[in-house]
């Protein structure tokens, strides 16, 4: 695996997005350091805590390699594709959804992060990019990035080293989770196998309910 590099740290404040009245904190600016806590970076803000932030979604990470694919897919979008554009707190290189397993840990300086779930793309991505269909494309191609819990608080900066600690080599990768959930009629047993303890309870419940429905229970 390629070395993992931290290419940027980002934080933002909630504000109206895309000329509308709905607020979002997806627009983030590069910062020299972040103070990571269990509820998220102290320097960051979330507009709607029902769907963003909280213990299970404390830190958002995104692979910078995805931006070249988005730029090629949407060449006429006014978006300035690049690190931090989609609202991530940590822009990373050398790591992807295909490599990361649920429950893996990212050791960023002295902070310990636990991979908890993929990001679920929403309307804010299209509004940020200035073109419809970007969120659907991200969802379809599984370019979601991921959320992490903060297990050990710490202040990190751009020079912080990033290391991957695999906790369970048999745990599903984020890509396996996304691909299986996108299937029309996945095997119920596979869905249940994806409901590992590292996933938030809402995700586990959703997987089990769909498995029960497909199994006719």
């Amino acid at each position: 695996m390629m070395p993992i590099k931290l290419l940027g740290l980002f934080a933002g404040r909630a504000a109206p997005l895309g000329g509308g009245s709905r607020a979002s904190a997806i627009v983030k600016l590069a910062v020299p350091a972040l103070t990571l806590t269990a509820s998220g970076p102290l320097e960051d803000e979330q507009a709607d805590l029902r769907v963003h932030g909280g213990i299970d979604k404390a830190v958002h990470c995104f692979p910078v390699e995805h931006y070249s694919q988005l730029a090629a897919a949407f060449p006429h979008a006014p978006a300035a594709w690049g690190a931090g554009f989609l609202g991530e707190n940590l822009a990373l290189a050398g790591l992807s959804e295909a490599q990361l397993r649920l429950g893996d840990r990212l050791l960023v300086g002295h902070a310990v992060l636990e991979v908890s779930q993929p990001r679920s793309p929403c309307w804010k991505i299209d509004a940020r990019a200035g073109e419809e269909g970007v969120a659907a494309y991200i969802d379809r191609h599984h370019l979601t990035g991921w959320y992490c819990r903060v297990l050990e608080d710490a202040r990190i900066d751009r020079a912080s080293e990033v290391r991957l600690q695999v906790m369970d080599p048999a745990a599903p990768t984020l890509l396996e989770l996304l691909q299986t959930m996108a299937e029309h009629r996945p095997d119920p047993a596979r869905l249940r196998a994806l409901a590992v303890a590292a996933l938030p309870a809402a995700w586990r419940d959703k997987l089990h309910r769909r498995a029960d429905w497909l199994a006719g229970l």
Side-chain angles (χ1 to χ4, degrees), residues 14-40:
L17 178 63
S21 60
R22 290 186 290 183
S24 170
I26 193 174
V27 178
K28 299 189 186 300
L29 300 176
V31 294
L34 286 175
T35 308
L36 303 185
T37 73
S39 58

Side-chain angles (χ1 to χ4, degrees), residues 16 20 22 25 45 59 77 88 90 101 119 122 142 149 153 161 176-177 188 192 202-203 208:
R22 290 186 290 183
E45 186 177 26
V59 177
E88 65 265 31
L90 276 63
R101 298 181 182 278
R119 178 183 184 170
C122 68
H142 313 309
R149 302 179 183 93
D153 298 5
E161 180 184 10
E176 289 170 342
L177 173 64
R192 293 191 179 97
W203 278 74
H208 282 300

Side-chain angles (χ1 to χ4, degrees), residues 63-205:
V64 295
E65 292 88 349
H66 290 348
Y67 282 114
S68 59
Q69 184 172 341
L70 290 170
F74 298 93
H76 302 298
W81 303 113
F85 185 77
L86 290 179
E88 65 265 31
N89 300 117
L90 276 63
L92 300 171
L95 197 58
S96 74
E97 296 84 353
Q99 297 161 297
L100 269 182
R101 298 181 182 278
L102 292 165
D104 278 356
R105 294 183 180 179
L106 295 177
L107 312 180
V108 187
H110 294 293
V112 179
L113 311 182
E114 181 182 64
V115 177
S116 59
Q117 66 186 80
R119 178 183 184 170
S120 299
C122 68
W123 66 270
K124 298 175 184 179
I125 291 178
D126 285 6
R128 175 69 165 138
E131 184 166 337
E132 293 185 4
V134 179
Y137 181 91
I138 287 173
D139 186 47
R140 187 166 63 251
H141 292 273
H142 313 309
L143 310 177
T144 61
W146 56 88
Y147 285 110
C148 294
R149 302 179 183 93
V150 178
L151 302 184
E152 291 188 22
D153 298 5
R155 186 169 174 82
I156 64 172
D157 58 34
R158 279 287 308 275
S160 296
E161 180 184 10
V162 182
R163 293 176 290 129
L164 172 62
Q165 184 177 17
V166 177
M167 301 304 294
D168 180 2
T173 66
L174 292 168
L175 183 59
E176 289 170 342
L177 173 64
L178 291 166
Q179 289 176 331
T180 303
M181 291 183 67
E183 292 179 15
H184 178 58
R185 296 190 66 87
D187 177 20
R190 286 175 59 203
L191 288 173
R192 293 191 179 97
L194 290 170
V196 296
L199 271 176
W203 278 74
R204 297 196 305 270
D205 290 345

Side-chain angles (χ1 to χ4, degrees), residues 38-53:
S39 58
L42 293 181
E43 299 79 3
D44 199 29
E45 186 177 26
Q46 301 297 334
D48 187 349
L49 292 176
R50 296 172 303 169
V51 292
H52 294 289

